[in-house]
Amino acid sequence: ELGGKVSPKLGNVCPTDASWVLFGRTTCCQTTQDVVTLLKSSTRTLEYIERVLRSENRNDEPLCSHEAKVTLALRKWSNL
């Protein structure tokens, strides 16, 4: 449990394109599973992670050999 309703943001990207996967069609998450489902379903999140990996890949090594430095922020949900 997250201790309330939150909206996830990975780096500078909010996965609003995947809001259809959650009940209510919003980015409101009440469990850790909601956060994971939302992030995994988001094309915006995938593209952001790919950009981070490419920017950190200074050599010709495979992208999967790098550790990405990405911040996951959980903001308190407010229904606007």
Side-chain angles (χ1 to χ4, degrees):
E1 291 300 313
L2 300 172
K5 297 177 181 179
V6 298
S7 181
K9 188 173 180 184
L10 189 65
N12 61 356
V13 174
C14 185
T16 53
D17 64 321
S19 61
W20 58 270
V21 299
L22 296 179
F23 180 76
R25 297 187 181 265
T26 66
T27 60
C28 178
C29 298
Q30 296 185 45
T31 66
T32 307
Q33 185 61 41
D34 289 347
V35 173
V36 171
T37 301
L38 191 63
L39 293 175
K40 285 178 69 173
S41 302
S42 172
T43 303
R44 295 181 71 199
T45 301
L46 174 65
E47 290 170 351
Y48 174 73
I49 291 172
E50 287 175 346
R51 276 195 314 269
V52 169
L53 287 173
R54 281 192 194 109
S55 70
E56 291 184 4
N57 187 10
R58 308 246 188 293
N59 304 326
D60 290 327
E61 300 172 11
L63 293 179
C64 61
S65 67
H66 293 280
E67 290 184 22
K69 295 176 183 155
V70 178
T71 303
L72 174 62
L74 300 176
R75 296 182 177 200
K76 183 178 178 182
W77 172 256
S78 61
N79 195 9
L80 301 176

